[in-house]
Amino acid sequence: MARLCKEALEWRKKLEAEYNLGDAEAQLLMASMTRTFDQLRRAERQVETDGMTQIDRFGKIIAHPLLSVIRDCRASILQYLKHLGLEAEPPRPAPGRPPKWS
């Protein structure tokens, strides 16, 4: 298995320091999420190098194949965070729409 990028390892350490994630299930989820985060960053770097589109063998412009990897990694990370109870948006105090901005 390839080594994880420094950013992925630092992100994992930061999450572990901020939240109590000591049980075995949380550690397994964190390990999987860290690998997924690493894959996300690698795919993003490759798309940055290659560009958002490529030309297929018929000369047609197509989306970079790694764009679907990026989308899937982002969705997976959100699911991992949800399973760990670390959802990005804090729960609202009441049901319904949030209050208007002042």
Side-chain angles (χ1 to χ4, degrees), residues 61-72:
I61 297 174
I62 60 169
H64 195 294
L66 289 177
L67 290 175
S68 61
V69 172
I70 292 170
R71 179 198 62 224
D72 294 345

Side-chain angles (χ1 to χ4, degrees), residues 50-56 60-65:
D50 298 345
M52 298 284 283
T53 59
Q54 293 185 339
I55 298 176
D56 69 4
K60 183 180 173 187
I61 297 174
I62 60 169
H64 195 294

Side-chain angles (χ1 to χ4, degrees), residues 1-72:
M1 184 171 92
R3 290 185 52 182
L4 298 174
C5 69
K6 184 178 177 181
E7 184 182 8
L9 294 173
E10 288 174 356
W11 184 61
R12 180 178 178 169
K13 286 179 186 177
K14 181 181 176 186
L15 285 175
E16 288 176 339
E18 287 183 29
Y19 303 98
N20 184 14
L21 303 172
D23 63 341
E25 181 183 4
Q27 289 299 313
L28 180 62
L29 288 171
M30 284 296 295
S32 296
M33 185 170 62
T34 305
R35 285 192 300 272
T36 302
F37 183 81
D38 183 67
Q39 290 172 351
L40 170 66
R41 289 300 188 235
R42 290 175 194 265
E44 288 174 338
R45 284 193 297 270
Q46 190 64 46
V47 169
E48 183 71 28
T49 300
D50 298 345
M52 298 284 283
T53 59
Q54 293 185 339
I55 298 176
D56 69 4
R57 61 187 173 137
F58 303 109
K60 183 180 173 187
I61 297 174
I62 60 169
H64 195 294
L66 289 177
L67 290 175
S68 61
V69 172
I70 292 170
R71 179 198 62 224
D72 294 345

